Amino acid sequence: MPDKFSSSCMRKITSAAIYILMGIAIICQFSCNTQTSRKYRIGISQLGEGDEWRKDMKEELYRELVFYPNIEAIYRQADYSSDKQVEQIKELMQQDIDLLIVCPYEAAPLTPVVEEAYNKGIKVVIVDRNINSELYNSYIGADNFQVGQFAGVYAARYLNNKGNIIEITGLQTSTPAREREKGFAEAIKKFPGISIQKVISGDWLEGSVENQLPAYISELKNTQLIFAHNDVMARTAAAICKKAGLSHIKILGVDALPGTGLSLVENHTLLASVLYPTGGSEAIRIADKLLRNENVPRRNILETIVVDSTNAIMLLQQANKITEQQKNIVRQQQLLAQQTKTFKTQRNLIFILVGSLVLSLMLAGLLVYSRGKNIKVNKKLHEQNEEISEQSRQIVLMADKAREANEEKLNFFTNISHELKTPLTLILAPTEEALRGKLSVTTRNQFSLVKKNATRLLLLVNQLMDFRKLELNKMKLELHETDLVQFLQEIVNAFAVFAKQHHVDCRIITKETTLPVWIDCEKIEKVFFNILSNAFKFTGDNGFIHLTIHKDALKGEAVINVQDSGIGMGKEEQGHLFEMFYQAGYDSNKGTGLGLALSKALIELHKGNIAVQSERDKGSVFTIYLKLGNTHFSEEQIHPGKETYNSQVSAWIENYYVPGTKQLLPIPEEEMPVKSSEEKETVLIVEDHNDLREFLSQRLSAEYNVITANDGAEGIKKLFDEMPDVVISDVMMPKTDGIALTKSLKDDIRTRHIPVILLTAKTTEENKLQGISANADAYITKPFNVDILEGTISSLLENRIKLKEHYSAEIPSGINGGIAKKSDRSFTVHLNAIIEQNIPNENFSVDDICREMHISRVQLYRKVKLLFDTSVNDHILLMRIQRARHYLQNEDIPIAEIATRTGFATASYFSTAFKKFVNESPKEYRSRFR
């Protein structure tokens, strides 16, 4: 044992020594590595270096790069050639650059190659001149339009708004030249005494000025100022003017760089120069942020000022001071690099000495430590084994408790289901007894509705109890040999009426004349009822549902495919489709989530299988596999002889699934109130539950003209077609919900006056607040008292009538007369909405209405004369007077302002028109009203 322990200790000591030496080596290597972060490579494409501005920009770029040692820059300049610059950028892309800084010579030729770099994932920073594309990460430059404006304003003020100017532009294919020219012209336009006598197209360099300006000596004699687009051309122009003896001409330039512009302004060669920053420092800072994936502004506009004799000396001194400080920083960085190298060498030596000392101490103490460690490890292992054993016992105990809790929960649901059967029976039995008697049509419809929904609830209870039996393995099969083709044909026939109503092609396709299988007909009938119910639920009108039956002799199976042309489903829904209580997200009319889960369990009880294949918007295929023969069943499950089973599918369809086959019948004419349809208000009911929609329609049809819609989308269409007086809408609906419908109605000037009543099963304060926020007029929760609903409708209509009477009092009836026909009502609402929107516009005319309503003047005049017995202009005037009355009654503003707000050209004309229609002046009307 001691020998074994000693051997173990030596191995540990050796391993520790090796690890320490490796650590020291790693530390030394890391310390010697001066590359502390990832290196980036950027390409810089400059258009040329033939002017001081470009040279200064290059110096600024390299000065700023000193602060970013992790960035390697590759610099290229194109000698003012677009073709050369394109080739240089392509060369830079081949060198695996991470970022491209480009100052384009011309926008059009450079745009494609810059876009190519951007699309390859290279980050792009544009400096000074832009390209004809948005494919870049950031733009840096001064606002050239603003530069031109600053120059124009300064020139005009210097010349005291009188004089002639010659402008020398940059290269016309470059964006700075175009923008500066536009800005200068825009500024000069505001000073009528200033004239731009001549515009000379330069190319930023001295040669263009030397070749062209001498030809305009005669024009120069009458010129007071020359504006050149950069200081290089300005300096050349100043020399030419001086040589020609035209010293009275003042020169205005752009750039104001320390080496050229500032010096020229200081020695009075130039009158002034507009500062145009190079943006070199900003370009490197933006590049660093982009390389580190930080957010940067897309456009970085550099500030500019006009430099003249008042501030040139100060700016020149500041620039010289900054340059000197930059050189000092470079020298300090070089010294710091040397000191850092010395420090790292000394630190590595200290690490080696300390490591050797630690190694010696560890070698001496490791023997003692290892002995004690072994004892502690053995003790800890024993304690952990005891802890694991205790945790295992706790897990087993918790699992038992969880099973007991789940069992109690399921027993509770089962007991509740049993308890529900008794009251359901007591509901169904008297209802069926009443239906066998003599009843009025209305009473019979209401009793049928009670029976249908009670039967539906009973079927749900039975499904829940079937699940409980399956979980407890208490569901027994009573198998009989059955002709599968005939069995399925009877089920399909039960759906025939519903399929015909909705033009759905539902049929069986098979080559088999007969196909015997051993099944429990009651349970397999539930399977195909659930599958076909879902197929009809998600298949629209004019679709198809096909059942294909064939025998797979090799596998000994009967295969049934149920294919539909419905909405289909995604992969995620298919993965959970057969789970208990699962409801797919696409199902806006959600059921209980029991049907397909129960179907799968019943198929597996028959030793079969069920699968689904589906794609969104391409329909679904459910495939059921049933084994042939009966050798896979136990003897007590097999019952020879023909089964005497009565199909329940027709009853299920009538009372549970298909709400459209048994519609509520309309009230006979003799039971209808004598109130005519022209006198009735119109109510639009938007409800996706057929039974509730038909019930409300029947209940309200005695007092109102009722229009119905199956969902929110159809409701919005009928809303604008029919222009109802009240809208009653459910909240949760397919396609468009009630909240969206309410917002659509309240946001439109034509319909915002229509009251909206929302019906919903959601009762939380948050849900109510959502309805109120959508400007709903009433929010009624289900279940609700129909008398309260009718009272709410009556109250809202009465309030609307009172409000209308209040604001239309004393106005001739032509503007607010009742319109009986729906088409005329729609025309009136549209016409008045257009006029309301244009009341403040005093130039609003009949032609504007014709253009908005797509109607000729003759048709408009005839229609307005027929409906209101007045002309179109008088109708517009009446609407203006009505708005004026509202202002006079409710707002304390001057009468002259009211005239302006209502589209009258003058206050006197307003007073005359107001008195004509109201028989008193606006001032008298306001006094009387108050």
Side-chain angles (χ1 to χ4, degrees):
M1 187 71 178
D3 294 338
K4 184 177 180 181
F5 176 72
S6 299
S7 176
S8 175
C9 286
M10 289 305 297
R11 285 197 302 270
K12 292 181 179 179
I13 291 170
T14 304
S15 299
I18 292 171
Y19 289 148
I20 291 173
L21 292 173
M22 289 175 61
I24 293 172
I26 291 171
I27 290 172
C28 293
Q29 183 181 2
F30 178 78
S31 300
C32 294
N33 186 4
T34 58
Q35 192 171 359
T36 58
S37 60
R38 179 191 167 186
K39 273 280 190 181
Y40 295 101
R41 177 178 290 180
I42 68 172
I44 302 174
S45 175
Q46 176 64 280
L47 60 87
E49 295 179 354
D51 59 83
E52 296 297 331
W53 193 91
R54 302 297 162 191
K55 294 176 182 178
D56 195 74
M57 179 181 179
K58 179 181 178 181
E59 292 177 2
E60 189 174 339
L61 285 167
Y62 278 101
R63 284 201 303 268
E64 188 67 24
L65 279 169
V66 171
F67 299 104
Y68 301 93
N70 62 318
I71 297 179
E72 175 191 355
I74 305 173
Y75 180 85
R76 297 286 185 273
Q77 66 89 17
D79 293 325
Y80 301 96
S81 169
S82 294
D83 293 337
K84 186 175 180 179
Q85 192 171 19
V86 170
E87 293 301 320
Q88 288 177 347
I89 292 175
K90 290 181 178 178
E91 175 198 343
L92 290 172
M93 286 192 289
Q94 292 174 357
Q95 298 189 36
D96 296 327
I97 58 174
D98 301 294
L99 182 141
L100 174 65
I101 298 176
V102 57
C103 181
Y105 182 51
E106 295 177 288
L110 270 295
T111 297
V113 71
V114 174
E115 289 180 334
E116 180 184 350
Y118 182 86
N119 291 328
K120 284 185 175 181
I122 300 173
K123 296 178 173 63
V124 177
V125 177
I126 306 293
V127 181
D128 180 29
R129 306 178 181 185
N130 214 331
I131 60 173
N132 299 333
S133 173
E134 294 296 322
L135 296 183
Y136 58 84
N137 296 91
S138 187
Y139 167 77
I140 301 167
D143 186 341
N144 283 288
F145 185 84
Q146 187 185 57
V147 168
Q149 282 188 317
F150 276 26
V153 172
Y154 184 86
R157 289 177 178 172
Y158 177 80
L159 295 175
N160 200 17
N161 193 19
K162 184 177 181 181
N164 298 322
I165 297 174
I166 289 180
E167 181 178 2
I168 305 175
T169 71
L171 190 66
Q172 284 298 307
T173 54
S174 64
T175 54
R178 296 196 299 268
E179 291 298 316
R180 291 176 189 179
E181 185 178 0
K182 289 180 183 176
F184 188 74
E186 183 70 22
I188 293 299
K189 190 188 299 181
K190 298 177 182 178
F191 300 93
I194 301 295
S195 172
I196 300 176
Q197 194 171 8
K198 185 69 178 178
V199 177
I200 300 174
S201 297
D203 61 359
W204 306 110
L205 303 177
E206 298 97 331
S208 61
V209 182
E210 292 173 347
N211 294 333
Q212 296 184 68
L213 188 59
Y216 300 102
I217 293 296
S218 58
E219 286 87 343
L220 286 172
K221 293 179 180 179
N222 296 321
T223 300
Q224 284 74 42
L225 186 141
I226 294 176
F227 169 50
H229 280 200
N230 70 358
D231 289 338
V232 174
M233 295 189 296
R235 180 178 59 195
T236 306
I240 293 172
C241 290
K242 183 177 181 181
K243 184 177 180 181
L246 302 173
S247 57
H248 70 280
I249 299 176
K250 301 299 180 182
I251 311 297
L252 178 61
V254 175
D255 285 345
L257 296 177
T260 52
L262 284 177
S263 300
L264 293 171
V265 173
E266 183 190 15
N267 61 28
H268 302 290
T269 301
L270 300 184
L271 171 67
S273 179
V274 182
L275 177 65
Y276 189 75
T278 64
S281 299
E282 186 67 22
I284 298 300
R285 287 194 287 269
I286 291 292
D288 178 64
K289 290 181 179 180
L290 285 172
L291 291 170
R292 289 186 284 111
N293 295 319
E294 294 183 9
N295 291 329
V296 300
R298 184 168 174 80
R299 292 185 62 81
N300 302 271
I301 304 303
L302 305 175
E303 296 296 329
T304 183
I305 60 172
V306 177
V307 178
D308 57 13
S309 58
T310 62
N311 56 7
I313 296 175
M314 179 185 68
L315 290 175
L316 188 60
Q317 291 174 346
Q318 290 178 348
N320 292 335
K321 187 176 182 180
I322 290 171
T323 302
E324 186 62 30
Q325 289 176 345
Q326 188 72 33
K327 292 178 180 178
N328 290 334
I329 290 172
V330 172
R331 286 195 296 270
Q332 290 173 2
Q333 284 186 333
Q334 291 172 349
L335 181 61
L336 180 63
Q338 293 176 355
Q339 293 175 345
T340 301
K341 185 176 181 181
T342 303
F343 166 74
K344 289 180 178 178
T345 302
Q346 295 173 348
R347 185 179 61 181
N348 292 342
L349 181 59
I350 293 172
F351 283 156
I352 293 172
L353 293 174
V354 171
S356 300
L357 178 61
V358 171
L359 178 61
S360 300
L361 292 174
M362 289 186 64
L363 291 173
L366 193 58
L367 287 172
V368 177
Y369 171 78
S370 298
R371 179 64 177 171
K373 188 68 176 176
N374 281 342
I375 295 172
K376 291 181 180 179
V377 167
N378 290 333
K379 183 178 179 181
K380 191 172 183 179
L381 286 173
H382 179 72
E383 292 174 352
Q384 288 178 345
N385 288 334
E386 290 293 330
E387 186 177 351
I388 291 171
S389 300
E390 179 62 26
Q391 288 177 350
S392 299
R393 287 192 293 271
Q394 291 292 334
I395 290 172
V396 172
L397 182 61
M398 290 172 63
D400 291 338
K401 288 183 177 180
R403 279 193 293 271
E404 290 176 5
N406 187 56
E407 190 71 20
E408 290 177 0
K409 180 182 68 175
L410 293 173
N411 287 334
F412 171 77
F413 280 119
T414 305
N415 293 336
I416 288 293
S417 300
H418 279 290
E419 291 297 326
L420 285 173
K421 280 196 168 186
T422 300
L424 284 173
T425 304
L426 293 175
I427 293 171
L428 283 168
T431 301
E432 291 171 348
E433 183 67 26
L435 286 170
R436 284 193 286 269
K438 187 175 181 181
L439 301 172
S440 66
V441 174
T442 303
T443 305
R444 180 172 296 278
N445 287 338
Q446 292 175 344
F447 271 111
S448 297
L449 188 62
V450 172
K451 178 186 175 185
K452 179 188 297 185
N453 286 277
T455 306
R456 183 181 306 173
L457 183 58
L458 181 61
L459 180 58
L460 294 175
V461 169
N462 288 335
Q463 283 185 334
L464 191 59
M465 294 182 67
D466 285 343
F467 251 117
R468 186 60 178 149
K469 289 179 183 179
L470 286 166
E471 288 182 339
L472 297 176
N473 294 321
K474 291 184 178 180
M475 181 168 283
K476 305 298 181 183
L477 292 179
E478 295 185 8
L479 303 167
H480 294 80
E481 189 174 28
T482 305
D483 182 0
L484 185 62
V485 177
Q486 182 181 354
F487 174 77
L488 292 179
Q489 187 64 59
E490 292 175 358
I491 296 176
V492 170
N493 290 342
F495 283 91
V497 175
F498 183 72
K500 184 176 181 181
Q501 286 180 349
H502 294 274
H503 306 288
V504 175
D505 178 18
C506 180
R507 54 184 165 137
I508 291 177
I509 302 173
T510 182
K511 294 181 180 179
E512 310 291 338
T513 56
T514 180
L515 183 57
V517 292
W518 287 83
I519 58 174
D520 186 325
C521 294
E522 176 189 0
K523 296 172 178 59
I524 295 298
E525 186 179 58
K526 292 178 181 178
V527 172
F528 283 97
F529 169 73
N530 283 323
I531 294 173
L532 287 172
S533 296
N534 277 334
F536 275 99
K537 183 177 182 181
F538 297 110
T539 299
D541 292 355
N542 302 306
F544 70 85
I545 300 173
H546 292 163
L547 281 77
T548 305
I549 307 171
H550 72 274
K551 180 170 68 174
D552 189 336
L554 293 176
K555 295 183 179 180
E557 291 178 336
V559 182
I560 308 99
N561 289 320
V562 182
Q563 181 179 7
D564 65 61
S565 60
I567 63 174
M569 67 191 87
K571 294 293 184 183
E572 184 178 354
E573 286 91 351
Q574 294 178 49
H576 301 283
L577 193 61
F578 297 107
E579 293 177 5
M580 190 174 181
F581 301 121
Y582 175 75
Q583 297 172 327
Y586 59 83
D587 183 2
S588 55
N589 295 316
K590 294 183 178 179
T592 61
L594 290 173
L596 290 177
L598 178 62
S599 299
K600 180 177 176 64
L602 292 174
I603 289 294
E604 290 175 347
L605 193 64
H606 282 75
K607 312 299 182 185
N609 194 16
I610 183 170
V612 63
Q613 290 182 331
S614 182
E615 288 186 47
R616 183 77 70 191
D617 301 322
K618 292 185 179 180
S620 304
V621 180
F622 285 84
T623 304
I624 298 97
Y625 304 91
L626 295 173
K627 293 184 178 181
L628 300 176
N630 58 11
T631 56
H632 48 286
F633 295 116
S634 61
E635 291 185 2
E636 60 268 18
Q637 292 175 321
I638 299 173
H639 295 265
K642 187 176 181 180
E643 182 180 14
T644 56
Y645 171 71
N646 294 322
S647 174
Q648 298 294 314
V649 175
S650 297
W652 291 339
I653 292 175
E654 178 178 346
N655 293 301
Y656 176 69
Y657 173 68
V658 187
T661 47
K662 296 290 284 184
Q663 300 290 350
L664 293 173
L665 297 175
I667 300 174
E669 288 296 325
E670 59 270 22
E671 297 182 25
M672 296 284 285
V674 295
K675 193 174 180 181
S676 66
S677 61
E678 288 79 6
E679 296 173 328
K680 294 179 181 179
E681 289 84 358
T682 300
V683 176
L684 171 61
I685 300 174
V686 188
E687 170 62 63
D688 59 329
H689 192 287
N690 289 16
D691 290 341
L692 180 56
R693 185 177 64 250
E694 294 301 328
F695 172 74
L696 291 175
S697 175
Q698 176 188 351
R699 180 66 180 261
L700 299 176
S701 60
E703 291 294 327
Y704 306 100
N705 291 320
V706 178
I707 311 165
T708 61
N710 298 327
D711 54 57
E714 183 184 353
I716 291 175
K717 183 178 183 302
K718 289 193 175 181
L719 172 68
F720 288 101
D721 290 343
E722 303 290 342
M723 287 295 174
D725 298 289
V726 178
V727 176
I728 302 171
S729 175
D730 189 16
V731 173
M732 295 296 293
M733 293 184 295
K735 297 181 181 179
T736 303
D737 62 23
I739 299 296
L741 182 145
T742 304
K743 288 181 178 178
S744 177
L745 180 147
K746 294 298 184 180
D747 289 344
D748 196 299
I749 191 172
R750 296 171 293 174
T751 55
R752 63 177 56 167
H753 64 283
I754 300 175
V756 179
I757 302 172
L758 293 179
L759 306 177
T760 180
K762 294 185 175 182
T763 59
T764 65
E765 295 298 326
E766 182 180 355
N767 298 132
K768 292 180 180 178
L769 181 61
Q770 188 180 19
I772 294 171
S773 299
N775 293 321
D777 296 84
Y779 194 92
I780 301 177
T781 57
K782 300 176 183 177
F784 56 85
N785 188 313
V786 182
D787 292 334
I788 293 177
L789 175 62
E790 290 179 331
T792 303
I793 297 171
S794 177
S795 176
L796 288 173
L797 287 173
E798 185 177 350
N799 288 337
R800 285 297 187 279
I801 293 171
K802 289 179 179 179
L803 190 63
K804 181 178 179 183
E805 290 175 349
H806 175 70
Y807 285 114
S808 60
E810 304 178 27
I811 290 295
S813 60
I815 197 170
N816 55 12
I819 305 298
K821 292 177 64 178
K822 293 176 183 176
S823 59
D824 292 342
R825 188 190 313 173
S826 178
F827 173 85
T828 302
V829 170
H830 193 188
L831 172 65
N832 289 345
I834 294 172
I835 297 174
E836 283 282 348
Q837 288 177 327
N838 290 277
I839 279 180
N841 181 9
E842 65 179 69
N843 297 318
F844 180 66
S845 66
V846 177
D847 291 333
D848 296 321
I849 299 177
C850 295
R851 187 164 48 253
E852 288 285 337
M853 300 189 72
H854 305 290
I855 189 173
S856 69
R857 290 176 64 94
V858 175
Q859 290 175 317
L860 179 63
Y861 272 104
R862 288 177 178 174
K863 191 75 173 179
V864 171
K865 183 67 176 177
L866 177 65
L867 293 175
F868 306 116
D869 193 24
T870 186
S871 68
V872 180
N873 287 322
D874 282 348
H875 186 70
I876 296 173
L877 192 57
L878 285 168
M879 296 285 286
R880 295 186 191 275
I881 296 297
Q882 185 183 19
R883 178 72 65 86
R885 287 182 62 254
H886 170 76
Y887 288 142
L888 290 168
Q889 291 177 13
N890 297 283
E891 297 192 24
D892 189 15
I893 55 178
I895 292 175
E897 185 175 346
I898 294 176
T900 302
R901 288 190 182 186
T902 51
F904 289 93
T906 63
S908 59
Y909 175 48
F910 165 64
S911 299
T912 301
F914 190 90
K915 190 168 185 178
K916 173 184 176 182
F917 287 100
V918 187
N919 296 323
E920 56 184 337
S921 69
K923 185 176 181 181
E924 292 169 344
Y925 180 85
R926 173 177 274 176
S927 300
R928 180 177 63 79
F929 183 84
R930 290 183 175 178

